[in-house]
Amino acid sequence: MTATPVKIETSQFEFLVSPLSSSARPAPKEPPSSSVVVDLASVSDPGKVRSRNEDHYMVSKVSRRMEVIADNLPAGELPHELAEDGYCMVVADGMGGMNAGDVASMMAISTGVRLADKSVKWGFKINEREARELLNRMSMYFQEIDRRLTERSDRDRRLFGMGTTLTLAYSIGSHLFLIHVGDSRAYLFRGGEMTQLTRDHTVAQALADAGQIRPEDIRTHARRNTLTNYLGGHRGKIQADVRWTRLEDGDRLLLCSDGLSDMVDDAKILEVLSRRKGAQVATETLLQKALDAGGKDNVTIVLADYTIPPFVAPPVFEGRSSSSRPRDVMALDTEEFPMQGEEK
């Protein structure tokens, strides 16, 4: 395996537009995160061509609980149980010779979990400061994963040059945080429309960004799977895209490896999500479509359907004015690294 220099500068999307500061009106009171119901489904398949599956994924529920066992306070003074629930979804698509791709994607997820386990804060209460800290921690985790993959590759020649994509979604209540490297994708389905939340880090996407090819030609371009950004090989200097947005009742969040997006175009994915079948039925249908289209790569799909209770609007007092402020834009500090390309 070789890493070929790519003389194309891709756009970096290292910014954060705060969904909490986009309106002059007071923010509505959010329902407790534990009241948000998430229907989760996932599947991973080697496909019809490859002998092994180099994709790995993880879906987890993260909870914080306090239950009052005994007290002598007057009735109603204490809530007897406090609860916060979050959901974490990760898709990693490994690459490399021999079994290196398997190891890279597996190691990326397991390392990230161990790093999060050591953190004293997991991000259950979201305001602008907490969101900044959470995204900075996630960005640092990605850099540490990249460093550890590189060191493991240097120590074991059988794993030389291994790397992986990594797309992670973390939701707490109505807040959604995304951090992303590579070409595994995150889509949001809302109100009959589907939006790609991530940007592919590939040569084909870079060519489209530069106006050298049409966006519709990306799926069939010869360099559509040549990555310009991935975990492994950058010695901790990886640049990850981050995003913070708000979820709404009825939203469907889809994470997938390129084994789905290369085989099934967006219009067909949208058609499946629009049927409003349960998450399990939708994932199985999408997998079958990828296999029916040839199944040329490993296919991994994670789908989350959100049921979010209504927000409570705060009172508006007569004679009291509020001033708007500009959107909060945050750049995460990262180090530049030489652009490299790698076929998965």
Side-chain angles (χ1 to χ4, degrees), residues 54-298:
E54 295 186 332
D55 289 358
H56 282 95
Y57 73 93
M58 182 196 74
V59 179
S60 63
K61 183 177 182 179
V62 185
S63 298
R64 181 177 69 176
R65 291 283 188 277
M66 187 193 80
E67 181 180 356
V68 177
I69 304 299
D71 72 271
N72 69 343
L73 277 72
E77 284 297 316
L78 276 183
H80 277 218
E81 184 177 18
L82 297 174
E84 297 286 353
D85 292 330
Y87 297 87
C88 183
M89 294 148 275
V90 189
V91 169
D93 182 355
M95 60 190 182
M98 300 296 289
N99 66 335
D102 304 15
V103 174
S105 58
M106 175 182 64
M107 186 175 168
I109 294 176
S110 62
T111 299
V113 170
R114 290 186 176 93
L115 290 171
D117 182 52
K118 294 179 181 178
S119 174
V120 296
K121 298 181 72 174
W122 280 22
F124 285 106
K125 292 293 187 181
I126 302 302
N127 54 40
E128 292 190 22
R129 187 184 68 180
E130 292 294 326
R132 290 169 180 271
E133 293 180 0
L134 175 61
L135 287 170
N136 271 308
R137 284 199 303 275
M138 293 166 69
S139 182
M140 288 188 290
Y141 292 165
F142 268 50
Q143 293 185 38
E144 179 63 15
I145 292 168
D146 177 66
R147 186 186 67 79
R148 295 190 186 187
L149 285 174
T150 303
E151 289 184 353
R152 178 73 180 277
S153 176
D154 289 344
R155 290 198 310 267
D156 189 341
R157 301 301 296 177
R158 294 171 300 176
L159 305 177
F160 178 75
M162 70 176 179
T164 184
T165 72
L166 194 63
T167 298
L168 181 151
Y170 175 66
S171 68
I172 178 74
S174 66
H175 296 270
L176 175 65
F177 298 91
L178 284 169
I179 185 163
H180 159 75
V181 168
D183 64 349
S184 296
R185 292 181 177 179
Y187 292 95
L188 181 66
F189 173 86
R190 175 183 295 168
E193 298 181 352
M194 188 176 74
T195 303
Q196 184 177 330
L197 299 179
T198 54
R199 193 76 165 173
D200 292 348
H201 298 155
T202 63
V203 172
Q205 182 64 61
L207 289 170
D209 291 343
Q212 297 184 31
I213 65 172
R214 298 177 302 173
E216 55 266 32
D217 294 333
I218 293 175
R219 291 187 69 252
T220 58
H221 196 274
R223 306 296 295 277
R224 68 185 181 279
N225 298 125
T226 303
L227 297 179
T228 58
N229 197 13
Y230 56 92
L231 292 173
H234 302 303
R235 302 187 181 278
K237 299 178 182 178
I238 196 72
Q239 239 175 348
D241 297 347
V242 297
R243 184 164 187 162
W244 172 26
T245 189
R246 295 294 285 265
L247 294 164
E248 296 180 3
D249 183 46
D251 281 355
R252 313 190 83 174
L253 177 66
L254 172 68
L255 271 63
C256 65
S257 62
D258 64 348
L260 175 67
S261 54
D262 276 359
M263 293 291 99
V264 184
D265 63 29
D266 286 4
K268 293 178 181 177
I269 295 175
L270 173 60
E271 178 187 353
V272 173
L273 297 181
S274 297
R275 295 174 189 171
R276 302 306 308 190
K277 301 291 185 180
Q280 188 63 45
V281 172
T283 55
E284 292 173 356
T285 302
L286 289 170
L287 172 60
Q288 192 58 52
K289 284 187 174 293
L291 297 177
D292 291 344
K296 297 179 181 179
D297 200 353
N298 310 147

